[in-house]
Amino acid sequence: MTGHARPEEAVSPLRRLTAALGLALLAAGATAPNALAAHRTHLGEVRVVARFDRSAGQAAESIAVEPGGGVVIGMIPARQVVRVAPDGAVRVLVTMPLPPGGGGTTPVVGIPVVTGVARSDRGDVYFLYSAGEGGLTGIWQVRAGAPRLVVPLPADTMPNALVIDGERDRFLVTDSTGGRIWQAPLRGGAASVWSADPALAPDGFFGANGLKVHDGAVWASNSDRGTLVRVPVVAGGGAGPARVRATGLAGIDDFDFTGRGTEILAAINQSSKLVRVGPDGAQETLLDADDGMEGTTAVVVRGNRVHVTNGANLAGDNPDLLLARLRR
């Protein structure tokens, strides 16, 4: 069947997954304190831009920034893509239909979900839909009238993060259950596995999760293993051997670079934190539950503006979008 999920259909399956996810991530270990540089990056002027409807399944998962200060966000169990204006107004762009079988075959989570979002330089908006069925799972484009499937992915994949590698005109996608990074032409078409390095593999739940292209390499987070992984891009655009660049980040979700070398801000879903990770792997919590973090899922840095989403899928009931100012 197709259509919108009722609130109890959208929320309760995700809540049933919470205990399993928490246990799986706890096994990865706790964040270890490390020595930090004297001149530290920190955040100020933290404020809520928009609040979402948790009862309708709007667990904010990912962020793509638009010109003018607006953002596009993927909503996991609601199967939605929404646009948030700079003034906080929220508009639903897409609600994906339930698969004919209901989506119970979606890997690990057992419900169909919208996850990563991305925006091209010319303004096209793309998103990931994981439905446990061929012909629905893959990269979709937001279009007036109805979304369009651009790149199909196998039914047994759990596509999670989506980035556009503009230098090579391709999409890159993490597959959290397969422990892989897929690639596909930006024009659309068939996908292929770009890297299946063991450092991307899950350990019971989610492996490769967040994803960024930075300074000649592709970086990914591994939720189960609590790591940040760097995969160099070799001649011809292929993948070199992965190297773990940071550990002790149990439950890491999305992340982004601050603009200071390889310094990173990481969203830690399990413990509801936003963490600074230095080039040497040293870590410092910048925001936590006392600052309003509830199941922190994603972070995007643009200049000195930092957007953060709370999915409230593992803790709390207040999914929202925050904006903070990056200070040196």
Side-chain angles (χ1 to χ4, degrees), residues 152-165:
L153 289 168
D156 63 352
T157 61
M158 177 65 193
N160 202 324
L162 172 67
V163 300
I164 293 173
D165 181 2

Side-chain angles (χ1 to χ4, degrees), residues 7-71:
E8 61 269 22
E9 292 174 330
V11 177
S12 59
L14 191 65
R15 287 298 196 194
R16 288 198 296 270
L17 291 169
T18 298
L21 178 58
L23 289 173
L25 295 178
L26 280 169
T31 301
N34 290 285
L36 297 168
H39 301 288
R40 297 180 299 190
T41 295
H42 62 284
L43 299 178
E45 303 175 39
V46 182
R47 63 182 179 90
V48 175
V49 176
R51 299 189 187 278
F52 307 116
D53 186 355
R54 187 67 180 85
S55 67
Q58 289 188 331
E61 157 66 8
S62 53
I63 311 168
V65 177
E66 297 192 307
V71 299

Side-chain angles (χ1 to χ4, degrees), residues 100-111:
T105 57
T106 303
V108 180
V109 297
I111 56 171

